[in-house]
Amino acid sequence: MARRREQALAFPAEPGYPPLRAAVAHRVGFSEVDPMRIVWFGRYAVFFEQASAELRDRCGLSNEDFFRAGIQPPIVRYEVEYLRPSRLDEKLEIVARMHGTEAARMNTSYQVFGPGGELRVAARTVQMFWNIGTETPCIVPPPIWRDCLRRWRNGEFACLQG
């Protein structure tokens, strides 16, 4: 059942763009849990952002890179499947995977694993590209994204595949 729920969040594979992966470790702190000592559901978005930032930094897509390019990539879709609770003091692994697309958007999926490697949470986000100067959405992929896709196709991110 959990596998089926996770697969419902999968992005279709695009030829030439194997998913890119980065992971971060996180120990659940007191301020992240509710009175039952379970991670409050809203904290997962912060965990996802930490893993996503690590991945994007490695691909030349940091927040600063986007701002210099005059682009903002706001999240326009956020879907989460909470499969098992995470608790105070547990050490989690948060994995972000970027899925290639030649559309004017970024697709990222996330997984949170518990100390024993069991899947706790699966999620995905879609980020569109927004031109800061004109305050309009990008209809075609902006140069910063096209450059990333070119590097991806040329195998420059092979160390991130997985």
Side-chain angles (χ1 to χ4, degrees):
M1 173 85 148
R3 183 74 179 142
R4 187 170 9 144
R5 289 170 61 193
E6 179 192 9
Q7 287 174 339
L9 296 176
F11 286 104
E14 288 212 20
Y17 300 107
L20 304 180
R21 178 189 188 278
V24 296
H26 183 83
R27 184 179 181 140
V28 177
F30 182 78
S31 66
E32 298 169 324
V33 297
D34 63 18
M36 295 177 287
R37 300 186 330 172
I38 294 172
V39 172
W40 178 65
F41 73 95
R43 291 292 182 183
Y44 286 102
V46 175
F47 300 168
F48 301 150
E49 175 58 24
Q50 291 169 349
S52 175
E54 179 69 25
L55 179 55
R56 288 183 292 105
D57 285 353
R58 294 181 182 185
C59 297
L61 298 172
S62 70
N63 291 325
E64 187 60 33
D65 293 326
F66 276 117
F67 288 126
R68 276 196 305 268
I71 299 295
Q72 292 175 333
I75 291 176
V76 296
R77 181 174 296 155
Y78 176 57
E79 300 173 75
V80 185
E81 287 283 343
Y82 301 98
L83 306 170
R84 297 185 65 185
S86 298
R87 301 185 185 279
L88 180 64
D89 286 331
E90 284 187 322
K91 293 179 182 172
L92 306 176
E93 178 185 39
I94 299 98
V95 175
R97 285 188 177 83
M98 191 182 317
H99 302 268
T101 177
E102 295 194 14
R105 67 189 220 177
M106 280 192 310
N107 297 330
T108 308
S109 62
Y110 307 89
Q111 296 172 309
V112 177
F113 295 97
E118 71 281 354
L119 182 63
R120 301 283 179 84
V121 178
R124 73 178 184 171
T125 59
V126 175
Q127 293 173 261
M128 63 180 282
F129 299 117
W130 187 265
N131 184 304
I132 295 171
T134 63
E135 297 185 350
T136 58
C138 299
I139 304 303
V140 298
I144 188 173
W145 183 241
R146 288 194 313 263
D147 183 56
C148 180
L149 293 175
R150 178 190 53 77
R151 295 174 61 207
W152 199 336
R153 282 190 309 270
N154 290 340
E156 290 184 43
F157 304 129
C159 62
L160 298 175
Q161 293 176 9

